[in-house]
Amino acid sequence: MICLFYFEPAKGISVKEAVGRVASESSNGTWTSLSTLKEHIRKIRARAFEIKGNYVKIAYPIELFEFGNVPQLMSSVAGNIFGMKAIKNLKLLDIMFPKAYIKSFDGPGFGVHGVRKFMKIKDRPLTCTVPKPKVGMTTVEHAKVGMDAWLGGVDFLKDDENLSDQKFNRFYKRAELCFKVRDMVEKKTGERKSYFINVTAETKEMLKRAKFVADLNGEYVMIDFLTAGFAGFQSLRDFCHDNKIAIHVHRAMHAAFDRNPKHGVSMLVLAKLVRLIGGDNMHIGTAVGKLVGSREDVMLYRDSISNSKISGGKENLYQDWQGLKDTIPVSSGGLHPGLVPNIIGLLGNDCVLQLGGGIHGHPNGTISGAMAFRQALDATLKGIDLGDYAVEHKELRDALRMWGYSRPV
Ligand code: CAP
Ligand code: MG
Protein backbone atom coordinates (compact mmCIF):
# COMPACT_ATOMS: atom_id res chain seq x y z
CA MET A 1 0.00 0.00 0.00
CA ILE A 2 1.39 3.38 -0.93
CA CYS A 3 0.26 6.70 0.53
CA LEU A 4 1.02 10.14 -0.84
CA PHE A 5 1.13 12.95 1.70
CA TYR A 6 1.63 16.69 1.57
CA PHE A 7 3.57 17.65 4.70
CA GLU A 8 5.10 20.62 6.50
CA PRO A 9 7.42 19.87 9.45
CA ALA A 10 6.92 21.78 12.70
CA LYS A 11 9.51 24.43 13.62
CA GLY A 12 12.86 22.88 14.49
CA ILE A 13 12.02 19.47 12.94
CA SER A 14 13.93 18.37 9.83
CA VAL A 15 12.21 17.01 6.74
CA LYS A 16 13.65 13.53 7.33
CA GLU A 17 12.61 13.50 10.95
CA ALA A 18 9.09 14.64 10.04
CA VAL A 19 8.44 12.03 7.35
CA GLY A 20 10.07 9.34 9.49
CA ARG A 21 7.68 10.17 12.31
CA VAL A 22 4.68 10.03 9.95
CA ALA A 23 5.75 6.62 8.60
CA SER A 24 6.43 5.34 12.07
CA GLU A 25 3.26 6.51 13.86
CA SER A 26 1.05 5.32 10.99
CA SER A 27 2.58 1.85 10.98
CA ASN A 28 4.13 0.32 14.09
CA GLY A 29 6.34 2.92 15.73
CA THR A 30 5.88 5.32 18.59
CA TRP A 31 7.71 8.35 20.07
CA THR A 32 10.69 6.43 21.49
CA SER A 33 12.84 3.38 20.76
CA LEU A 34 11.44 0.15 22.10
CA SER A 35 12.85 -2.90 23.83
CA THR A 36 9.99 -4.90 22.29
CA LEU A 37 10.89 -4.10 18.68
CA LYS A 38 12.01 -7.49 17.37
CA GLU A 39 13.29 -8.18 13.87
CA HIS A 40 9.99 -9.57 12.53
CA ILE A 41 8.24 -6.38 13.66
CA ARG A 42 10.94 -4.12 12.24
CA LYS A 43 10.41 -5.86 8.89
CA ILE A 44 6.85 -4.55 8.54
CA ARG A 45 7.64 -0.90 9.30
CA ALA A 46 6.40 1.66 6.80
CA ARG A 47 9.10 3.42 4.83
CA ALA A 48 9.15 6.88 3.25
CA PHE A 49 10.77 6.24 -0.13
CA GLU A 50 10.36 9.43 -2.14
CA ILE A 51 10.45 13.04 -0.98
CA LYS A 52 9.82 15.82 -3.50
CA GLY A 53 9.52 19.23 -1.89
CA ASN A 54 6.57 18.98 0.48
CA TYR A 55 5.34 15.69 -0.96
CA VAL A 56 6.28 12.29 0.40
CA LYS A 57 5.39 8.78 -0.64
CA ILE A 58 5.29 6.14 2.06
CA ALA A 59 5.13 2.38 1.43
CA TYR A 60 3.29 0.18 3.91
CA PRO A 61 3.83 -3.60 3.97
CA ILE A 62 0.44 -5.23 3.41
CA GLU A 63 0.80 -7.24 6.64
CA LEU A 64 -0.01 -4.04 8.54
CA PHE A 65 -3.60 -4.16 7.37
CA GLU A 66 -6.66 -6.26 7.99
CA PHE A 67 -8.24 -7.08 4.65
CA GLY A 68 -11.78 -5.85 4.07
CA ASN A 69 -11.63 -3.38 6.99
CA VAL A 70 -11.63 0.31 6.05
CA PRO A 71 -11.89 1.59 9.65
CA GLN A 72 -8.62 -0.24 10.42
CA LEU A 73 -6.98 1.21 7.31
CA MET A 74 -7.98 4.74 8.28
CA SER A 75 -6.90 4.25 11.91
CA SER A 76 -3.46 3.51 10.46
CA VAL A 77 -2.77 5.85 7.56
CA ALA A 78 -5.16 8.61 8.63
CA GLY A 79 -5.07 8.11 12.38
CA ASN A 80 -2.84 9.71 15.04
CA ILE A 81 -0.53 11.32 12.50
CA PHE A 82 -2.67 14.41 11.93
CA GLY A 83 -2.22 15.47 15.54
CA MET A 84 1.54 14.97 15.90
CA LYS A 85 3.42 17.94 17.35
CA ALA A 86 6.30 17.23 14.96
CA ILE A 87 4.08 18.16 12.02
CA LYS A 88 2.70 21.58 11.20
CA ASN A 89 0.48 20.40 8.36
CA LEU A 90 -0.27 17.00 6.86
CA LYS A 91 -2.66 15.98 4.14
CA LEU A 92 -3.31 12.45 2.97
CA LEU A 93 -3.67 13.05 -0.77
CA ASP A 94 -4.02 9.53 -2.14
CA ILE A 95 -3.77 5.84 -1.32
CA MET A 96 -2.73 3.27 -3.93
CA PHE A 97 -4.53 0.04 -3.07
CA PRO A 98 -2.66 -3.12 -4.09
CA LYS A 99 -4.43 -5.98 -5.84
CA ALA A 100 -4.76 -8.32 -2.85
CA TYR A 101 -6.30 -5.54 -0.76
CA ILE A 102 -8.79 -4.56 -3.48
CA LYS A 103 -9.80 -8.19 -3.84
CA SER A 104 -10.93 -8.24 -0.21
CA PHE A 105 -13.76 -5.81 -1.04
CA ASP A 106 -16.84 -6.19 -3.25
CA GLY A 107 -16.75 -2.76 -4.88
CA PRO A 108 -19.92 -1.41 -6.53
CA GLY A 109 -22.67 -3.90 -7.29
CA PHE A 110 -23.86 -2.29 -10.51
CA GLY A 111 -21.60 0.35 -12.03
CA VAL A 112 -22.96 2.59 -14.75
CA HIS A 113 -23.80 -0.34 -17.06
CA GLY A 114 -25.79 -2.12 -14.38
CA VAL A 115 -27.74 0.99 -13.45
CA ARG A 116 -28.43 1.87 -17.10
CA LYS A 117 -29.72 -1.67 -17.58
CA PHE A 118 -32.30 -1.64 -14.79
CA MET A 119 -33.27 1.98 -15.53
CA LYS A 120 -33.52 1.21 -19.26
CA ILE A 121 -31.62 4.41 -20.09
CA LYS A 122 -29.14 3.82 -22.87
CA ASP A 123 -26.60 6.60 -22.95
CA ARG A 124 -27.87 9.97 -21.77
CA PRO A 125 -26.91 11.41 -18.36
CA LEU A 126 -29.19 10.23 -15.55
CA THR A 127 -31.32 12.89 -13.88
CA CYS A 128 -32.18 13.38 -10.24
CA THR A 129 -33.88 15.81 -7.89
CA VAL A 130 -33.95 16.39 -4.16
CA PRO A 131 -37.15 17.98 -2.82
CA LYS A 132 -36.56 21.38 -1.26
CA PRO A 133 -36.94 22.64 1.44
CA LYS A 134 -34.49 20.00 2.69
CA VAL A 135 -36.56 19.06 5.74
CA GLY A 136 -39.90 20.13 7.11
CA MET A 137 -42.28 18.92 4.41
CA THR A 138 -44.78 16.27 5.45
CA THR A 139 -44.61 12.83 3.90
CA VAL A 140 -47.54 13.66 1.63
CA GLU A 141 -45.96 16.95 0.52
CA HIS A 142 -42.65 15.16 -0.11
CA ALA A 143 -44.30 12.44 -2.21
CA LYS A 144 -46.23 15.05 -4.20
CA VAL A 145 -42.99 16.89 -5.07
CA GLY A 146 -41.49 13.52 -6.05
CA MET A 147 -44.48 12.70 -8.22
CA ASP A 148 -44.31 16.05 -10.02
CA ALA A 149 -40.58 15.70 -10.64
CA TRP A 150 -40.95 12.15 -11.97
CA LEU A 151 -43.87 13.20 -14.17
CA GLY A 152 -41.87 16.15 -15.46
CA GLY A 153 -39.20 13.74 -16.69
CA VAL A 154 -36.70 13.21 -13.87
CA ASP A 155 -35.40 9.65 -13.35
CA PHE A 156 -34.48 9.65 -9.67
CA LEU A 157 -35.99 11.18 -6.58
CA LYS A 158 -33.44 11.66 -3.79
CA ASP A 159 -33.75 12.48 -0.10
CA ASP A 160 -31.71 15.25 1.39
CA GLU A 161 -28.77 14.32 3.60
CA ASN A 162 -30.49 15.48 6.79
CA LEU A 163 -33.84 13.83 6.11
CA SER A 164 -34.08 10.42 7.73
CA ASP A 165 -36.98 9.72 10.11
CA GLN A 166 -38.32 12.91 11.64
CA LYS A 167 -41.70 13.56 13.19
CA PHE A 168 -43.09 15.36 10.13
CA ASN A 169 -41.83 12.77 7.63
CA ARG A 170 -41.44 9.24 8.98
CA PHE A 171 -39.11 6.94 7.08
CA TYR A 172 -41.37 3.90 6.76
CA LYS A 173 -44.40 5.96 5.79
CA ARG A 174 -42.33 7.90 3.24
CA ALA A 175 -40.95 4.71 1.72
CA GLU A 176 -44.40 3.14 1.36
CA LEU A 177 -46.00 6.23 -0.15
CA CYS A 178 -43.16 7.20 -2.49
CA PHE A 179 -42.80 3.71 -3.95
CA LYS A 180 -46.58 3.57 -4.46
CA VAL A 181 -46.40 6.90 -6.30
CA ARG A 182 -43.34 5.68 -8.20
CA ASP A 183 -45.24 2.62 -9.47
CA MET A 184 -48.12 4.83 -10.55
CA VAL A 185 -45.83 7.27 -12.43
CA GLU A 186 -44.02 4.40 -14.15
CA LYS A 187 -47.36 3.10 -15.44
CA LYS A 188 -48.40 6.55 -16.61
CA THR A 189 -45.16 7.55 -18.32
CA GLY A 190 -43.84 4.15 -19.44
CA GLU A 191 -40.42 5.23 -18.09
CA ARG A 192 -38.42 3.61 -15.30
CA LYS A 193 -38.24 5.73 -12.13
CA SER A 194 -36.31 5.16 -8.94
CA TYR A 195 -35.70 6.66 -5.50
CA PHE A 196 -32.49 7.27 -3.52
CA ILE A 197 -34.16 7.00 -0.12
CA ASN A 198 -31.91 7.99 2.76
CA VAL A 199 -31.50 5.06 5.18
CA THR A 200 -28.73 6.75 7.22
CA ALA A 201 -29.10 5.81 10.88
CA GLU A 202 -27.49 3.63 13.56
CA THR A 203 -26.26 0.54 11.68
CA LYS A 204 -28.89 -2.02 12.75
CA GLU A 205 -31.71 0.42 12.10
CA MET A 206 -30.12 1.35 8.76
CA LEU A 207 -30.17 -2.30 7.68
CA LYS A 208 -33.79 -2.59 8.81
CA ARG A 209 -34.64 0.39 6.63
CA ALA A 210 -32.77 -1.08 3.67
CA LYS A 211 -34.69 -4.35 4.10
CA PHE A 212 -37.94 -2.39 4.04
CA VAL A 213 -36.87 -0.74 0.77
CA ALA A 214 -35.92 -4.12 -0.71
CA ASP A 215 -39.35 -5.50 0.22
CA LEU A 216 -40.97 -2.55 -1.60
CA ASN A 217 -38.96 -3.37 -4.74
CA GLY A 218 -36.71 -0.35 -4.37
CA GLU A 219 -33.55 -0.50 -6.49
CA TYR A 220 -31.52 1.98 -4.44
CA VAL A 221 -30.80 3.19 -0.94
CA MET A 222 -28.87 6.31 0.00
CA ILE A 223 -26.30 6.70 2.76
CA ASP A 224 -24.39 9.67 4.18
CA PHE A 225 -21.25 7.57 4.39
CA LEU A 226 -19.09 9.90 6.46
CA THR A 227 -21.64 10.66 9.15
CA ALA A 228 -22.79 7.02 9.24
CA GLY A 229 -19.15 5.91 9.32
CA PHE A 230 -17.12 3.49 7.24
CA ALA A 231 -18.21 0.47 9.29
CA GLY A 232 -21.90 1.27 8.84
CA PHE A 233 -21.34 1.79 5.13
CA GLN A 234 -19.56 -1.56 4.85
CA SER A 235 -22.46 -3.30 6.64
CA LEU A 236 -24.95 -1.64 4.31
CA ARG A 237 -22.89 -2.68 1.30
CA ASP A 238 -22.97 -6.32 2.49
CA PHE A 239 -26.73 -6.17 2.84
CA CYS A 240 -27.10 -4.58 -0.59
CA HIS A 241 -24.84 -7.21 -2.13
CA ASP A 242 -27.12 -9.97 -0.85
CA ASN A 243 -30.29 -8.11 -1.86
CA LYS A 244 -29.13 -6.70 -5.22
CA ILE A 245 -29.67 -3.07 -4.28
CA ALA A 246 -27.59 -0.14 -5.52
CA ILE A 247 -26.21 2.52 -3.16
CA HIS A 248 -26.28 6.29 -3.63
CA VAL A 249 -23.52 7.85 -1.53
CA HIS A 250 -23.84 11.38 -0.17
CA ARG A 251 -20.65 12.95 1.18
CA ALA A 252 -22.04 15.38 3.79
CA MET A 253 -19.18 16.46 6.14
CA HIS A 254 -16.45 15.76 3.55
CA ALA A 255 -15.30 19.38 3.53
CA ALA A 256 -14.37 19.07 7.23
CA PHE A 257 -11.68 16.63 6.01
CA ASP A 258 -10.77 17.88 2.56
CA ARG A 259 -11.33 21.64 2.29
CA ASN A 260 -7.99 22.68 3.84
CA PRO A 261 -5.43 22.08 1.04
CA LYS A 262 -2.62 21.55 3.57
CA HIS A 263 -4.20 19.40 6.25
CA GLY A 264 -6.67 16.54 6.45
CA VAL A 265 -7.81 13.81 4.05
CA SER A 266 -8.39 14.56 0.38
CA MET A 267 -11.69 14.09 -1.39
CA LEU A 268 -9.83 11.77 -3.75
CA VAL A 269 -9.12 9.37 -0.89
CA LEU A 270 -12.75 9.53 0.26
CA ALA A 271 -14.03 8.90 -3.27
CA LYS A 272 -11.68 5.94 -3.74
CA LEU A 273 -12.84 4.43 -0.45
CA VAL A 274 -16.42 4.71 -1.67
CA ARG A 275 -15.57 2.77 -4.82
CA LEU A 276 -13.60 0.20 -2.85
CA ILE A 277 -16.43 -0.45 -0.39
CA GLY A 278 -19.03 -0.36 -3.13
CA GLY A 279 -20.98 2.87 -3.64
CA ASP A 280 -22.77 2.89 -7.00
CA ASN A 281 -23.19 6.69 -7.05
CA MET A 282 -20.95 9.28 -5.43
CA HIS A 283 -21.24 13.06 -5.08
CA ILE A 284 -18.13 14.67 -6.54
CA GLY A 285 -19.11 18.33 -6.96
CA THR A 286 -19.86 20.53 -9.93
CA ALA A 287 -17.03 23.05 -10.42
CA VAL A 288 -19.72 25.58 -11.39
CA GLY A 289 -22.30 25.22 -8.60
CA LYS A 290 -22.66 26.46 -5.03
CA LEU A 291 -19.90 24.45 -3.34
CA VAL A 292 -16.10 24.61 -3.50
CA GLY A 293 -14.20 22.30 -5.88
CA SER A 294 -12.19 23.21 -8.98
CA ARG A 295 -12.65 21.82 -12.47
CA GLU A 296 -9.39 19.83 -12.17
CA ASP A 297 -10.47 18.36 -8.83
CA VAL A 298 -13.87 17.27 -10.14
CA MET A 299 -12.25 15.66 -13.21
CA LEU A 300 -9.75 13.79 -11.05
CA TYR A 301 -12.52 12.39 -8.84
CA ARG A 302 -14.54 11.47 -11.92
CA ASP A 303 -11.63 9.63 -13.52
CA SER A 304 -10.69 7.87 -10.31
CA ILE A 305 -14.13 6.42 -9.70
CA SER A 306 -15.06 5.79 -13.35
CA ASN A 307 -11.93 4.45 -15.05
CA SER A 308 -10.39 1.01 -14.72
CA LYS A 309 -6.90 2.51 -14.30
CA ILE A 310 -5.58 5.95 -13.54
CA SER A 311 -2.06 7.29 -14.02
CA GLY A 312 -0.29 9.19 -11.26
CA GLY A 313 0.32 12.95 -11.06
CA LYS A 314 1.71 15.48 -8.60
CA GLU A 315 -1.16 14.99 -6.15
CA ASN A 316 -2.35 11.49 -6.98
CA LEU A 317 -0.96 7.99 -7.45
CA TYR A 318 -1.24 5.36 -10.15
CA GLN A 319 -4.15 3.02 -9.48
CA ASP A 320 -5.28 -0.17 -11.19
CA TRP A 321 -8.77 -1.05 -9.94
CA GLN A 322 -8.27 -4.74 -10.76
CA GLY A 323 -11.60 -5.07 -12.55
CA LEU A 324 -13.69 -3.52 -9.77
CA LYS A 325 -16.88 -1.95 -11.16
CA ASP A 326 -17.11 1.83 -11.50
CA THR A 327 -18.94 4.32 -9.30
CA ILE A 328 -21.16 6.83 -11.11
CA PRO A 329 -20.19 10.47 -10.47
CA VAL A 330 -23.02 12.64 -9.16
CA SER A 331 -22.90 16.34 -9.87
CA SER A 332 -25.02 18.34 -7.46
CA GLY A 333 -25.15 21.58 -5.55
CA GLY A 334 -26.47 24.84 -6.97
CA LEU A 335 -27.20 23.49 -10.47
CA HIS A 336 -30.03 24.77 -12.70
CA PRO A 337 -30.94 24.22 -16.38
CA GLY A 338 -28.62 27.01 -17.61
CA LEU A 339 -25.61 25.11 -16.22
CA VAL A 340 -26.46 21.73 -17.76
CA PRO A 341 -24.24 22.21 -20.86
CA ASN A 342 -21.24 23.07 -18.64
CA ILE A 343 -21.66 19.95 -16.53
CA ILE A 344 -22.13 17.61 -19.47
CA GLY A 345 -19.11 19.23 -21.12
CA LEU A 346 -17.15 18.45 -17.97
CA LEU A 347 -18.40 14.98 -17.07
CA GLY A 348 -19.78 13.50 -20.28
CA ASN A 349 -22.88 11.29 -20.27
CA ASP A 350 -22.00 8.73 -17.63
CA CYS A 351 -23.10 10.73 -14.63
CA VAL A 352 -26.09 11.63 -12.49
CA LEU A 353 -27.08 15.30 -12.61
CA GLN A 354 -28.97 16.49 -9.55
CA LEU A 355 -31.02 19.70 -9.50
CA GLY A 356 -32.83 20.55 -6.28
CA GLY A 357 -33.41 24.30 -6.03
CA GLY A 358 -32.85 24.39 -9.81
CA ILE A 359 -36.14 22.49 -10.24
CA HIS A 360 -38.30 23.44 -7.26
CA GLY A 361 -37.35 27.10 -7.59
CA HIS A 362 -38.81 27.26 -11.11
CA PRO A 363 -41.40 30.09 -11.27
CA ASN A 364 -44.10 27.64 -12.37
CA GLY A 365 -43.34 24.87 -9.91
CA THR A 366 -41.80 21.44 -9.84
CA ILE A 367 -43.33 19.88 -12.98
CA SER A 368 -42.21 22.85 -15.10
CA GLY A 369 -38.80 22.78 -13.37
CA ALA A 370 -38.34 19.11 -14.20
CA MET A 371 -39.43 19.71 -17.79
CA ALA A 372 -36.98 22.62 -18.11
CA PHE A 373 -34.21 20.33 -16.87
CA ARG A 374 -35.04 17.64 -19.45
CA GLN A 375 -35.28 20.27 -22.19
CA ALA A 376 -31.84 21.63 -21.24
CA LEU A 377 -30.51 18.08 -21.36
CA ASP A 378 -32.15 17.32 -24.74
CA ALA A 379 -30.82 20.58 -26.24
CA THR A 380 -27.30 19.87 -24.99
CA LEU A 381 -27.30 16.32 -26.33
CA LYS A 382 -28.55 17.57 -29.70
CA GLY A 383 -25.86 20.26 -29.73
CA ILE A 384 -28.43 23.09 -29.76
CA ASP A 385 -27.82 26.33 -27.88
CA LEU A 386 -30.12 26.58 -24.85
CA GLY A 387 -31.30 30.05 -25.84
CA ASP A 388 -32.35 28.79 -29.29
CA TYR A 389 -34.06 25.70 -27.86
CA ALA A 390 -35.93 27.88 -25.35
CA VAL A 391 -37.74 29.72 -28.16
CA GLU A 392 -39.94 26.65 -28.65
CA HIS A 393 -39.79 25.37 -25.06
CA LYS A 394 -41.58 27.55 -22.55
CA GLU A 395 -40.38 25.78 -19.37
CA LEU A 396 -36.74 26.19 -20.35
CA ARG A 397 -37.40 29.78 -21.36
CA ASP A 398 -38.82 30.56 -17.91
CA ALA A 399 -35.90 28.83 -16.20
CA LEU A 400 -33.38 30.82 -18.23
CA ARG A 401 -35.28 34.00 -17.47
CA MET A 402 -35.01 33.16 -13.76
CA TRP A 403 -31.39 31.98 -13.46
CA GLY A 404 -29.79 32.61 -16.86
CA TYR A 405 -26.40 30.94 -16.98
CA SER A 406 -25.31 32.18 -13.56
CA ARG A 407 -22.97 30.35 -11.22
CA PRO A 408 -24.21 30.52 -7.64
CA VAL A 409 -21.90 31.91 -4.95
C1 CAP B 1 -28.09 19.93 -3.52
C2 CAP B 1 -27.96 19.25 -2.20
C3 CAP B 1 -26.69 18.42 -1.92
C4 CAP B 1 -25.37 19.04 -2.30
C5 CAP B 1 -24.20 18.43 -1.54
C6 CAP B 1 -28.05 20.31 -1.14
O1 CAP B 1 -29.21 20.77 -3.58
O2 CAP B 1 -29.01 18.35 -2.02
O3 CAP B 1 -26.72 18.09 -0.57
O4 CAP B 1 -25.23 18.90 -3.66
O5 CAP B 1 -23.01 18.79 -2.09
O6 CAP B 1 -28.76 20.10 -0.14
O7 CAP B 1 -27.41 21.32 -1.25
P1 CAP B 1 -29.38 21.92 -4.70
P2 CAP B 1 -22.07 17.80 -2.96
O8 CAP B 1 -29.52 21.23 -6.02
O9 CAP B 1 -30.64 22.65 -4.29
O10 CAP B 1 -28.17 22.79 -4.61
O11 CAP B 1 -22.90 17.22 -4.04
O12 CAP B 1 -20.99 18.70 -3.45
O13 CAP B 1 -21.59 16.77 -2.00
MG1 MG C 1 -28.54 18.01 0.15
Side-chain angles (χ1 to χ4, degrees):
M1 186 99 66
I2 296 172
C3 290
L4 171 64
F5 292 95
Y6 170 88
F7 73 100
E8 289 175 14
K11 218 169 160 199
I13 304 278
S14 72
V15 163
K16 276 205 166 157
E17 173 77 13
V19 300
R21 295 266 204 108
V22 172
S24 163
E25 185 65 41
S26 58
S27 59
N28 60 7
T30 188
W31 59 276
T32 183
S33 53
L34 297 167
S35 61
T36 44
L37 181 63
K38 307 229 174 79
E39 193 42 41
H40 69 102
I41 306 171
R42 188 184 293 273
K43 242 169 79 184
I44 59 167
R45 279 186 314 183
R47 286 168 178 78
F49 66 94
E50 185 186 293
I51 303 170
K52 278 188 186 161
N54 291 95
Y55 296 86
V56 60
K57 286 182 188 164
I58 299 179
Y60 296 82
I62 200 66
E63 290 89 336
L64 289 167
F65 304 105
E66 179 186 341
F67 282 14
N69 185 340
V70 168
Q72 189 272 340
L73 168 69
M74 295 306 270
S75 296
S76 307
V77 303
N80 296 348
I81 48 179
F82 295 111
M84 287 192 308
K85 284 186 188 166
I87 298 294
K88 185 174 168 214
N89 277 305
L90 182 70
K91 185 142 184 185
L92 175 59
L93 295 172
D94 198 0
I95 307 175
M96 192 284 291
F97 305 119
K99 184 173 180 179
Y101 193 75
I102 290 180
K103 293 286 178 200
S104 68
F105 290 86
D106 283 330
F110 292 84
V112 72
H113 293 296
V115 171
R116 286 194 180 288
K117 205 166 153 199
F118 71 67
M119 288 304 290
K120 298 191 169 45
I121 297 169
K122 247 193 166 162
D123 44 25
R124 67 165 169 81
L126 304 154
T127 60
C128 174
T129 193
V130 51
K132 298 283 169 176
K134 281 173 181 256
V135 289
M137 273 190 276
T138 64
T139 307
V140 170
E141 286 165 343
H142 182 97
K144 166 81 168 78
V145 171
M147 180 177 78
D148 287 351
W150 276 324
L151 284 172
V154 165
D155 307 311
F156 298 109
L157 175 66
K158 174 181 111 44
D159 284 347
D160 231 315
E161 67 282 353
N162 53 348
L163 177 67
S164 56
D165 180 48
Q166 284 102 314
K167 210 168 156 189
F168 46 81
N169 193 347
R170 290 289 177 203
F171 178 86
Y172 295 98
K173 212 175 124 199
R174 179 167 79 256
E176 268 178 348
L177 185 61
C178 287
F179 282 108
K180 206 183 268 173
V181 169
R182 187 280 299 265
D183 294 345
M184 187 271 288
V185 175
E186 281 194 341
K187 256 192 206 132
K188 202 164 167 179
T189 60
E191 290 179 350
R192 287 306 316 272
K193 305 286 177 186
S194 195
Y195 181 20
F196 308 151
I197 184 165
N198 189 8
V199 296
T200 303
E202 178 282 321
T203 306
K204 285 193 228 91
E205 173 59 24
M206 184 157 64
L207 300 185
K208 210 175 122 198
R209 292 179 190 177
K211 168 91 175 61
F212 196 71
V213 173
D215 290 344
L216 290 169
N217 291 323
E219 299 81 4
Y220 260 103
V221 289
M222 163 177 155
I223 183 173
D224 302 333
F225 85 111
L226 287 171
T227 56
F230 296 112
F233 180 26
Q234 286 197 238
S235 300
L236 182 68
R237 173 62 187 114
D238 282 350
F239 174 88
C240 290
H241 178 272
D242 297 343
N243 290 271
K244 307 258 174 303
I245 292 184
I247 308 176
H248 177 89
V249 181
H250 196 288
R251 59 177 183 164
M253 199 167 81
H254 75 94
F257 299 92
D258 66 28
R259 188 167 181 172
N260 183 338
K262 295 181 169 181
H263 195 82
V265 178
S266 74
M267 182 56 213
L268 177 64
V269 168
L270 301 177
K272 286 177 74 170
L273 291 173
V274 167
R275 182 174 185 178
L276 187 71
I277 293 171
D280 293 278
N281 300 353
M282 169 79 201
H283 285 245
I284 63 159
T286 63
V288 293
K290 70 181 181 186
L291 299 154
V292 289
S294 72
R295 197 185 160 85
E296 293 69 36
D297 287 346
V298 173
M299 294 298 277
L300 178 63
Y301 311 148
R302 197 262 329 242
D303 290 347
S304 300
I305 61 174
S306 304
N307 298 351
S308 52
K309 277 184 195 163
I310 170 146
S311 45
K314 189 179 172 197
E315 299 211 329
N316 77 292
L317 297 163
Y318 167 82
Q319 179 71 62
D320 181 338
W321 280 104
Q322 310 293 340
L324 217 66
K325 287 201 180 87
D326 58 296
T327 298
I328 307 173
V330 179
S331 204
S332 170
L335 298 182
H336 56 77
L339 292 173
V340 165
N342 295 65
I343 295 296
I344 297 180
L346 187 70
L347 296 179
N349 284 4
D350 286 335
C351 63
V352 173
L353 301 185
Q354 191 293 125
L355 274 64
I359 282 184
H360 314 295
H362 190 284
N364 295 320
T366 295
I367 296 194
S368 298
M371 288 171 72
F373 180 15
R374 273 298 281 270
Q375 290 161 5
L377 190 63
D378 290 346
T380 307
L381 295 175
K382 287 177 186 158
I384 303 172
D385 176 78
L386 291 193
D388 295 342
Y389 204 71
V391 176
E392 300 279 317
H393 295 86
K394 183 181 172 339
E395 292 77 17
L396 180 59
R397 199 159 65 236
D398 291 339
L400 291 178
R401 212 171 274 149
M402 174 108 179
W403 297 295
Y405 303 88
S406 62
R407 298 178 178 202
V409 279

